[in-house]
Amino acid sequence: MLASTEAIIIEVVFSLGALIAVAGLGGLIWTKQHHRGFRPAMTVILCGVGIVIIASLLNVLLFKTYAGVRVKKNQYYEITSLTTNMRASLASSQAPQQPVTPAAKKASRNVTYLVTHTDQSQTARHAAKAAQRQLTQHKQPDVAVVKHNYRIILDHYFDAVTSSTKAQQHLSDHAYQHVTQRPARR
């Protein structure tokens, strides 16, 4: 199930709980005016508040926010791991006439591993392997090819994260910007 679908379900449950609690408050006001017992109305209020608390806990336990979009926690960690390894693999190769460091080669292998083990499309797998070949087998890798392949990987990854085309593009753009950002000089 997509994160957006699960988020909608949790929002509906939260709204339902809030509606039940508000109805219980209305019932409490009615019972006070008619001098009835408060126990049934209080029970309805507590049920509504309980549902709201459960929905809130589910939201906190299941989701994190990446670039302002709610994603599942496991997807969030996959995204951050993927983008961190992509950025690390490009770190040494973005400077002209610099050989690719062993750490960058390892990071490119990590990208390929992540793409393979997160069940990405065949296109993304080929792009990851081509980027890895550029970074591990060439003394002067073609950084433009690696960046292009990383863009393909990110686009394919975010297709599976959410059904909204606008959110997919936003997430992909944000991640690509993070990947291609030059590291700060120390």
Side-chain angles (χ1 to χ4, degrees):
M1 194 179 304
L2 292 174
S4 57
T5 307
E6 290 177 355
I8 290 170
I9 291 170
I10 289 175
E11 287 175 7
V12 166
V13 169
F14 182 88
S15 300
L16 181 65
L19 184 63
I20 291 170
V22 169
L25 283 173
L28 187 65
I29 292 169
W30 183 85
T31 56
K32 184 174 181 185
Q33 288 175 349
H34 290 89
H35 304 290
R36 307 269 186 210
F38 291 156
R39 184 169 285 173
M42 290 301 290
T43 303
V44 172
I45 291 171
L46 289 176
C47 288
V49 170
I51 292 171
V52 166
I53 290 171
I54 289 169
S56 298
L57 285 174
L58 283 174
N59 190 31
V60 168
L61 293 173
L62 296 178
F63 296 103
K64 278 184 107 39
T65 302
Y66 182 79
V69 177
R70 193 173 0 181
V71 295
K72 292 179 185 177
K73 273 193 176 181
N74 64 334
Q75 291 172 332
Y76 174 83
Y77 294 122
E78 287 173 0
I79 293 166
T80 55
S81 181
L82 188 63
T83 56
T84 301
N85 280 297
M86 286 178 170
R87 186 172 181 181
S89 70
L90 288 173
S92 67
S93 60
Q94 290 193 31
Q97 305 300 324
Q98 290 292 322
V100 179
T101 64
K105 290 179 182 181
K106 181 179 179 187
S108 73
R109 287 190 290 274
N110 289 345
V111 169
T112 304
Y113 175 84
L114 287 168
V115 168
T116 303
H117 287 84
T118 55
D119 295 327
Q120 297 302 306
S121 67
Q122 197 66 26
T123 305
R125 290 179 189 178
H126 287 303
K129 289 177 183 174
Q132 181 182 344
R133 275 193 303 277
Q134 277 292 324
L135 292 169
T136 58
Q137 296 177 358
H138 296 94
K139 286 191 175 204
Q140 297 296 322
D142 189 350
V143 177
V145 169
V146 175
K147 287 181 179 180
H148 174 72
N149 288 346
Y150 283 174
R151 183 60 186 223
I152 291 170
I153 293 166
L154 291 170
D155 287 342
H156 282 268
Y157 181 84
F158 289 115
D159 284 346
V161 171
T162 182
S163 57
S164 167
T165 308
K166 185 177 178 183
Q168 289 170 0
Q169 191 62 43
H170 173 69
L171 288 168
S172 185
D173 290 343
H174 178 78
Y176 184 74
Q177 181 181 2
H178 174 73
V179 166
T180 58
Q181 201 173 36
R182 287 189 182 261
R185 293 185 180 186
R186 296 179 187 201

